[in-house]
């Protein structure tokens, strides 16, 4: 995985410069700490997993520009009839980049009640919940609209800047697309 090496602020015009980087492979992401704008990664990705890798080998690299767009949000209610009242879950906004589902935002919530994924860059996401105790987070317990098996089959949720998309409710343990196996 990718982990932060350095964090920088920009000047008033948005210019940045990462100084004294050792030779290696890097990815650049930009975020607004107050979440008025959604995060973005070079070149136009919504997640670090989908970002373009930049090779640094002793000479300056320029033109690594990233554009931020006004952020949107997704809200809803998460419920899980399988768990005790005071359990936890992760609700994630997933986007398919680099051939895999990547988490663009994630919140730990009480397994009964409302959730809010704020500061999302405009784009199309799948909203899924993962059991808190399930490591790694490979299979969701439920995706919108009550899809159990995979974000591949979930309904897409479009996020628009300066808009909160509400009513994206997740009902874990409810009847959805869960299949059965039977026999004699």
């Amino acid at each position: 995985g990718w982990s932060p090496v350095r964090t920088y602020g920009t000047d008033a015009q948005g210019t940045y410069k990462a100084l004294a980087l050792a030779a290696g492979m890097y990815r650049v992401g930009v975020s607004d700490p107050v979440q008025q704008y959604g995060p973005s990664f070079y070149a136009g990705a919504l997640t670090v997993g989908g970002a373009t890798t930049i090779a640094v080998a002793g000479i300056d690299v320029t033109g690594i520009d990233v554009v931020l767009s006004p952020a949107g949000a997704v809200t809803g209610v998460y419920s899980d009839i399988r768990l005790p009242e005071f359990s936890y879950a992760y609700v994630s906004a997933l986007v398919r980049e680099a051939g895999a589902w990547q988490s663009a935002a994630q919140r730990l919530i009480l397994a009964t009640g409302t959730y809010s994924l704020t500061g999302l860059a405009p784009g199309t996401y799948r909203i899924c919940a993962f059991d808190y105790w399930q490591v790694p987070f490979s299979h969701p317990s439920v995706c919108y609209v009550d899809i159990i098996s995979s974000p591949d089959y979930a309904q897409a949720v479009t996020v628009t800047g300066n808009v909160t998309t509400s009513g994206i409710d997740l009902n874990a343990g409810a009847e959805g697309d869960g299949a059965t196996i039977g026999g004699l």
Side-chain angles (χ1 to χ4, degrees):
W2 294 90
S3 60
V5 174
R6 298 205 179 118
T7 302
Y8 297 93
T10 66
D11 66 16
Q13 290 74 41
T15 302
Y16 73 94
K17 187 178 277 190
L19 302 172
L21 292 173
M25 306 302 276
Y26 296 89
R27 293 189 178 184
V28 173
V30 179
S31 64
D32 171 13
V34 297
Q35 296 186 334
Q36 181 179 354
Y37 295 91
S40 184
F41 295 82
Y42 180 75
L46 296 174
T47 65
V48 70
T52 300
T53 302
I54 302 157
V56 173
I59 58 172
D60 293 346
V61 179
T62 60
I64 307 302
D65 302 330
V66 179
V67 177
L68 296 181
S69 298
V74 173
T75 64
V77 175
Y78 175 78
S79 60
D80 191 337
I81 62 173
R82 307 167 303 151
L83 299 173
E85 183 177 349
F86 296 107
S87 295
Y88 295 91
Y90 285 100
V91 174
S92 293
L94 304 172
V95 62
R96 188 142 182 104
E97 291 183 331
W101 289 104
Q102 312 279 340
S103 179
Q106 183 169 280
R107 301 290 184 270
L108 178 64
I109 62 162
L110 194 60
T112 54
T114 61
Y115 73 88
S116 182
L117 297 170
T118 59
L120 292 170
T124 303
Y125 299 89
R126 302 296 196 277
I127 308 301
C128 297
F130 296 83
D131 293 329
Y132 174 73
W133 47 267
Q134 182 186 7
V135 177
F137 298 112
S138 56
H139 297 289
S141 59
V142 66
C143 293
Y144 181 73
V145 175
D146 299 336
I147 300 296
I148 298 168
S149 60
S150 167
D152 291 318
Y153 305 107
Q155 181 173 328
V157 175
T158 300
V159 171
T160 305
N162 297 319
V163 173
T164 297
T165 303
S166 58
I168 308 301
D169 299 339
L170 302 168
N171 301 302
E175 293 295 322
D177 74 336
T180 62
I181 295 176
L184 178 62

